[in-house]
Amino acid sequence: MTEQQPTSLRERQKEDRKARIIAAAKSLFLEAGLEKITMEAIAEIAGVSSVTVHNYYGTKSGVLLALVAESDRELLATLERGLRARGETLTDRVLGFFEIVCRHTQTHLDKAIWRQVIAASVSGTEPRFGKLYHELDNRLASVLIREVERMVGAGILPETVDPAHLGWALFNLQNARFIEFIAADGSSCEAGLQHLRNDLNALMPGGFPGR
Amino acid sequence: MTEQQPTSLRERQKEDRKARIIAAAKSLFLEAGLEKITMEAIAEIAGVSSVTVHNYYGTKSGVLLALVAESDRELLATLERGLRARGETLTDRVLGFFEIVCRHTQTHLDKAIWRQVIAASVSGTEPRFGKLYHELDNRLASVLIREVERMVGAGILPETVDPAHLGWALFNLQNARFIEFIAADGSSCEAGLQHLRNDLNALMPGGFPGR
DNA sequence: CAAAATTCTTTAGTCAATAAAAAATTTGAG
DNA sequence: CTCAAATTTTTTATTGACTAAAGAATTTTG
């Protein structure tokens, strides 16, 4: 994530502490369940006081969001790459998007963590939090928007299509199924794909809007 | 809401306590903000111990869900009634659905309460909770599904449409914008409507799928 | 180098949530 | 009607998230 300009000593120390904190959180998460992640435990491993963790990340969910955000760049790269290897209908692209996000989630983090993060983003107690989370959403939605733009440019979709509107609509649709996927430990990526396929077929019978 | 069979004394007492608890929560919510609603305060007004409130409703959000569920029946009635007074396109019906839900929300409860409830439904710590909330969603989605069924029956939509699939897709779309509406105190019903209109136009340019 | 500014830690407290023991009360048997 | 058994609530105690304020360091700056 493009570090640069190691300005003052103070700022370097702060960056270092922050890094230690999320490293501590990650290590705790790897060796035990979410229950084991207490702010005290994180603080102790990171070598700071628990108040400092709060000051940096606001809430426990804030720390978890940092974990989520870490794998964000990687997810975006995988998306850009993986989306091309799909069918040529818009439906295929959205399904591909969903599948990549789900698999990435399964590989990199626990559903329980995502639940906490999403819940916190909705409850909106922490102002910083909502902003950060919304940025992630924006970046993800942008992938779909660019995909629509590309298809309009290639003449696959008519000029009348507004890429931003269609992209966001598709993202929201997909996101609803992602949340469903996250919500229950039992629900599989395949089930989510099937549901999303049904959604898209119902709204866009031919694989494209307004056909 | 259709009381019946006052079985044993114990069960009657329990129902009475439950009623007192949600009444207490409601009174507290009316005279002060969400911050003022502590489990202790609720318990004190209801004349029970705070542990009892936890035993009955699991979490504080559980109590709030009971508040939300209370106005559920009324919302459903308003929906059935109000939806008929709309335009004849599917888009118009979905927009009407969204508008009624938003206005009902504004009238009856605070956004902050909805945020807590939705967040708790996602985080899924309390198992009973997720079940209850999902039932609310099911009832709401059913309204849209029945609307689609009606339109198929009336020949407005082709027989090839699966009402359940289309109904859920539209509900999810609408719900994403509802959550957006809830998420920020500043966001208006009108802005949500505009966003949803954009979503629907992008996916169903003619006001119906596959046209 | 010393005063000033910044930042962390300590300390103390509130509140949600949970567990276990203790107390009260309904219920059911005689 | 009474007393033991079953159920349920309250009491008590603890953990952990989160916040506020005062105090302790340490970097920064003149």
Side-chain angles (χ1 to χ4, degrees):
Chain A
M1 315 216 180
T2 56
E3 324 266 328
Q4 71 268 68
Q5 314 190 118
T7 41
S8 70
L9 170 58
R10 277 208 160 117
E11 294 193 38
R12 259 176 292 137
Q13 288 174 323
K14 186 171 282 194
E15 287 310 310
D16 188 51
R17 277 186 220 108
K18 281 183 143 181
R20 276 184 352 242
I21 288 169
I22 73 124
K26 200 185 292 185
S27 76
L28 277 173
F29 165 64
L30 285 177
E31 72 185 28
L34 188 57
E35 330 78 60
K36 281 283 161 32
I37 303 185
T38 74
M39 296 295 261
E40 270 302 337
I42 294 172
E44 189 172 3
I45 294 180
V48 296
S49 85
S50 68
V51 175
T52 297
V53 182
H54 273 109
N55 284 338
Y56 283 174
Y57 292 101
T59 66
K60 182 164 136 177
S61 301
V63 180
L64 299 184
L65 176 60
L67 253 52
V68 168
E70 252 214 343
S71 65
D72 185 43
R73 179 171 290 265
E74 187 179 346
L75 171 58
L76 285 171
T78 309
L79 272 175
E80 305 275 7
R81 249 184 298 108
L83 233 44
R84 297 297 147 80
R86 303 279 164 169
E88 269 303 317
T89 68
L90 194 52
T91 293
D92 287 330
R93 297 299 163 103
V94 177
L95 288 170
F97 183 96
F98 176 84
E99 189 174 1
I100 292 170
V101 173
C102 279
R103 300 238 182 277
H104 183 270
T105 299
Q106 282 178 317
T107 313
H108 289 258
L109 287 163
D110 206 61
K111 282 187 178 184
I113 286 189
W114 273 97
R115 284 197 284 265
Q116 287 239 344
V117 169
I118 292 175
S121 83
V122 172
S123 85
T125 45
E126 190 69 27
R128 306 174 257 179
F129 195 105
K131 197 170 147 293
L132 262 172
Y133 185 79
H134 215 260
E135 275 171 25
L136 292 194
D137 261 17
N138 270 318
R139 277 202 280 275
L140 288 176
S142 292
V143 172
L144 281 179
I145 292 172
R146 277 197 300 276
E147 198 62 25
V148 172
E149 274 168 355
R150 202 184 55 76
M151 289 174 119
V152 171
I156 303 175
L157 289 171
E159 294 280 346
T160 52
V161 165
D162 182 322
H165 291 169
L166 184 53
W168 269 107
L170 293 171
F171 176 77
N172 284 339
L173 224 36
Q174 171 275 337
N175 200 45
R177 294 307 184 180
F178 176 69
I179 291 175
E180 182 182 82
F181 166 71
I182 287 300
D185 280 319
S187 68
S188 70
C189 183
E190 284 73 23
L193 270 171
Q194 190 53 54
H195 288 167
L196 183 56
R197 202 190 322 270
N198 291 339
D199 295 337
L200 295 171
N201 275 333
L203 289 164
M204 311 184 301
F208 296 107
R211 181 56 51 80
Chain B
M1 309 222 184
T2 57
E3 323 266 330
Q4 71 270 61
Q5 314 194 118
T7 42
S8 71
L9 170 58
R10 277 207 160 119
E11 292 192 38
R12 257 176 294 139
Q13 287 175 320
K14 185 171 284 194
E15 287 310 310
D16 188 53
R17 279 187 218 107
K18 281 183 140 178
R20 272 175 6 234
I21 289 170
I22 74 121
K26 201 185 292 183
S27 75
L28 276 174
F29 164 64
L30 285 176
E31 73 184 30
L34 188 56
E35 330 77 60
K36 281 282 159 34
I37 303 186
T38 73
M39 297 294 261
E40 270 303 335
I42 295 172
E44 189 172 3
I45 296 181
V48 296
S49 86
S50 69
V51 175
T52 296
V53 182
H54 274 106
N55 284 338
Y56 283 175
Y57 292 102
T59 67
K60 185 164 134 176
S61 301
V63 180
L64 300 183
L65 176 60
L67 253 54
V68 168
E70 255 213 341
S71 66
D72 185 43
R73 179 172 293 263
E74 188 180 344
L75 170 59
L76 285 171
T78 309
L79 271 176
E80 306 274 8
R81 248 186 296 109
L83 234 43
R84 297 298 147 80
R86 303 280 164 167
E88 269 303 315
T89 67
L90 194 52
T91 293
D92 287 332
R93 296 301 164 101
V94 177
L95 288 169
F97 183 96
F98 176 84
E99 189 175 2
I100 291 170
V101 172
C102 280
R103 300 238 180 278
H104 183 270
T105 299
Q106 282 178 317
T107 315
H108 289 260
L109 287 163
D110 205 61
K111 281 186 179 185
I113 285 190
W114 273 97
R115 284 197 283 266
Q116 287 240 345
V117 169
I118 292 175
S121 83
V122 173
S123 85
T125 45
E126 191 68 28
R128 306 173 258 181
F129 195 105
K131 199 170 145 291
L132 263 171
Y133 184 79
H134 215 260
E135 275 170 24
L136 293 193
D137 260 17
N138 270 317
R139 277 202 281 276
L140 288 176
S142 293
V143 173
L144 280 180
I145 292 172
R146 278 197 299 277
E147 199 63 26
V148 173
E149 273 168 357
R150 202 183 56 74
M151 290 176 118
V152 171
I156 302 173
L157 289 173
E159 294 280 346
T160 52
V161 166
D162 182 322
H165 291 169
L166 184 53
W168 269 107
L170 293 170
F171 176 77
N172 284 340
L173 225 35
Q174 171 277 337
N175 199 47
R177 294 307 184 180
F178 176 69
I179 290 175
E180 181 181 82
F181 166 72
I182 287 300
D185 280 318
S187 66
S188 70
C189 183
E190 285 73 21
L193 270 171
Q194 190 54 53
H195 287 168
L196 183 56
R197 202 189 322 272
N198 291 341
D199 294 337
L200 295 171
N201 274 335
L203 289 164
M204 310 184 301
F208 296 106
R211 181 59 50 81

